[in-house]
Amino acid sequence: MRASLLLGLSCLASAGAQQQRPIGAQVDSARATTHHDDGPSYRSSLLSLHKTLVSIPSTSGTEQHVGDVLVDYLTSIGYTVERQYLPRPDSTSPRRFNVLAWRQPKDQLSLTPEPGVLVTSHIDAVPPHIPYSISSTPPNADTLISGRGSVDAKASVAAQITALEELRRQGTISGDEATLLFVVGEETVGDGMRHFSSVARARNRTFDAAIFGEPTEGKLACGHKGHAACTIRARGKAGHSGYPWLGKSATEVLARALVRVLDADLGSSERFGGTTVNVGTMEGGVAANVIAERASARIALRVAAGDQETGWEVVRGRLEGVLRGVDEELEMECTNGYGPVECYCDVEGFETIVVNYGTDAANLEGDHVRYLYGPGSILVAHGDNEAITVRDLEAAVEGYKALVRHALKK
């Protein structure tokens, strides 16, 4: 299968909008503006790469195949490519890796690129895998492309690679001014970007700017809410359900606590609105006629209070206060807590947006300018209707070109 996929990508090495189209991309408007049967010269290569990526199942934890294909392709068109392996929790776990790629200047033999712009997105997707499909052949600007990852975030991956190749073809950038990074695990705990960040810190590797690819409706995001994942546990006393006063129902305590949490003001800000809570899973008890001794729930919080460093502590304190007000024996364990993430969005010609989901922008350490931008809508990204138009994919190529130019001051 890998050989056939690479054969399908071979044309990429030789090849070089109105809805959700950034005005900032008007420099190349003659190439980007599409009618039903007309499009930019890179349309075929862009759609071929996007199809290959979406066709490969890569739910979080199973990203190896799509990573291998990206490594082979980027190598074939002249990139220096590094497989950046993540530590394995045990010997039976798969060897997962990030893909790091840059252009090596002909007169430079360094094994690492110079500071510049990092162009990055993720290659994992949420389950289940949904096969690739396209609404019309040959494609036109309004053609709809469906499948898991068609938006989040393989659309960004394909558009970012195409954008850099177009900038090089036009002579705008050369050498290692822009580095590509495609990470694993963004949809779960962000372990791919966290690992890259720790390696970059150890190597004293810095960037002037980082462009993160996520579905922002083709608008430039001014930031996104913070995030935390928590498990709330309740303890009770088992007994016969006919005599509830002789026991203590952990499920009842947990239910009361969750209602209080959902109704509580956990912090807000003018830009990001209010902190929200999603009760993802609940479990507890052993039978309907037995007073539950234990119960637990897993919740996800979208943090709107404070800033990236302080926001989670504000929300955590309020959350703990709510739980103590219900039952002193309630326990809470949280991971990956951080406050709202600010991104740079003052770029001429781009519409702006603030998004509620989390991204890897919070997981990359360093004093760099952060941009958050990408094609497609988050509202379809995790659903069975995930899809994107050709028009929006092509507009994203122009958008990424404009952002790279802005970041490099070109």
Side-chain angles (χ1 to χ4, degrees):
M1 178 178 179
R2 181 175 170 190
S4 61
L5 289 170
L6 288 175
L7 181 61
L9 281 169
S10 62
C11 63
L12 297 176
S14 60
Q18 302 300 318
Q19 180 184 358
Q20 301 180 2
R21 181 178 181 274
I23 302 173
Q26 287 180 351
V27 173
D28 296 290
S29 59
R31 295 172 54 77
T33 302
T34 58
H35 302 288
H36 287 294
D37 296 309
D38 187 23
S41 61
Y42 54 76
R43 173 179 286 178
S44 177
S45 60
L46 171 66
L47 298 189
S48 177
L49 175 56
H50 184 250
K51 177 180 180 179
T52 297
L53 297 175
V54 176
S55 297
I56 302 172
S58 61
T59 55
S60 302
T62 64
E63 307 97 338
Q64 297 86 338
H65 188 190
V66 72
D68 284 334
V69 169
L70 274 175
V71 167
D72 289 341
Y73 170 64
L74 291 170
T75 301
S76 75
I77 60 173
Y79 280 85
T80 299
V81 184
E82 175 186 346
R83 279 183 175 87
Q84 193 175 78
Y85 287 97
L86 277 65
R88 290 194 292 178
D90 55 69
S91 59
T92 62
S93 300
R95 296 211 66 189
R96 300 166 62 224
F97 58 89
N98 299 325
V99 177
L100 182 66
W102 65 95
R103 292 278 185 173
Q104 193 80 310
K106 294 180 179 180
D107 60 348
Q108 182 178 329
L109 298 177
S110 170
L111 296 179
T112 57
E114 293 298 320
V117 59
L118 180 71
V119 182
T120 180
S121 191
H122 61 93
I123 55 177
D124 66 317
V126 298
H129 177 67
I130 301 173
Y132 175 95
S133 64
I134 189 166
S135 65
S136 64
T137 304
N140 57 62
D142 297 316
T143 295
L144 193 68
I145 300 172
S146 305
R148 179 60 76 227
S150 58
V151 172
D152 189 14
K154 293 174 181 179
S156 289
V157 174
Q160 288 174 339
I161 294 172
T162 303
L164 289 190
E165 290 307 290
E166 282 294 293
L167 288 173
R168 289 192 176 89
R169 183 191 63 80
Q170 296 166 354
T172 305
I173 63 173
S174 60
D176 57 2
E177 295 172 294
T179 299
L180 287 167
L181 171 67
F182 302 120
V183 300
V184 300
E186 189 276 342
E187 296 289 2
T188 52
V189 295
D191 52 349
M193 184 61 78
R194 290 174 185 272
H195 178 66
F196 171 79
S197 186
S198 66
V199 172
R201 183 174 62 251
R203 295 178 180 177
N204 198 29
R205 178 79 171 91
T206 61
F207 299 95
D208 298 320
I211 300 172
F212 296 88
E214 291 283 355
T216 65
E217 301 177 9
K219 301 173 184 178
L220 191 56
C222 296
H224 63 76
K225 288 185 176 182
H227 177 266
C230 298
T231 300
I232 299 173
R233 298 184 179 90
R235 292 183 294 173
K237 181 181 177 182
H240 195 289
S241 65
Y243 303 87
W245 57 87
L246 298 179
K248 179 182 179 181
S249 172
T251 53
E252 179 182 338
V253 171
L254 180 64
R256 293 181 185 277
L258 291 176
V259 170
R260 291 279 296 274
V261 167
L262 290 169
D263 290 341
D265 177 4
L266 297 177
S268 61
S269 62
E270 182 176 353
R271 170 173 285 189
F272 296 99
T275 297
T276 61
V277 179
N278 178 66
V279 180
T281 65
M282 298 175 62
E283 59 182 5
V286 294
N289 61 348
V290 177
I291 299 172
E293 184 176 16
R294 297 186 182 278
S296 65
R298 297 176 64 191
I299 65 174
L301 300 100
R302 303 296 175 174
V303 180
D307 56 29
Q308 185 174 343
E309 300 300 324
T310 66
W312 168 232
E313 291 306 315
V314 172
V315 173
R316 184 188 184 102
R318 294 192 181 190
L319 184 58
E320 290 174 339
V322 171
L323 297 180
R324 284 195 302 269
V326 175
D327 191 289
E328 287 291 338
E329 293 189 355
L330 281 165
E331 298 176 350
M332 182 178 74
E333 180 182 356
C334 301
T335 59
N336 200 31
Y338 59 89
V341 176
E342 300 275 352
C343 296
Y344 187 83
C345 61
D346 187 14
V347 180
E348 184 179 357
F350 281 86
E351 294 183 60
T352 61
I353 192 173
V354 173
V355 297
N356 293 344
Y357 54 84
T359 76
D360 267 333
N363 296 325
L364 179 61
E365 299 178 16
D367 185 20
H368 49 264
V369 178
R370 294 185 293 206
Y371 302 85
L372 178 59
Y373 169 86
S377 170
I378 195 66
L379 300 182
V380 301
H382 289 190
D384 57 8
N385 60 335
E386 183 172 1
I388 191 168
T389 64
V390 170
R391 185 190 311 277
D392 290 342
L393 267 175
E394 293 171 349
V397 173
E398 301 304 320
Y400 283 124
K401 287 166 61 178
L403 291 177
V404 171
R405 288 194 298 265
H406 187 273
L408 295 175
K409 298 178 174 57
K410 293 196 173 186

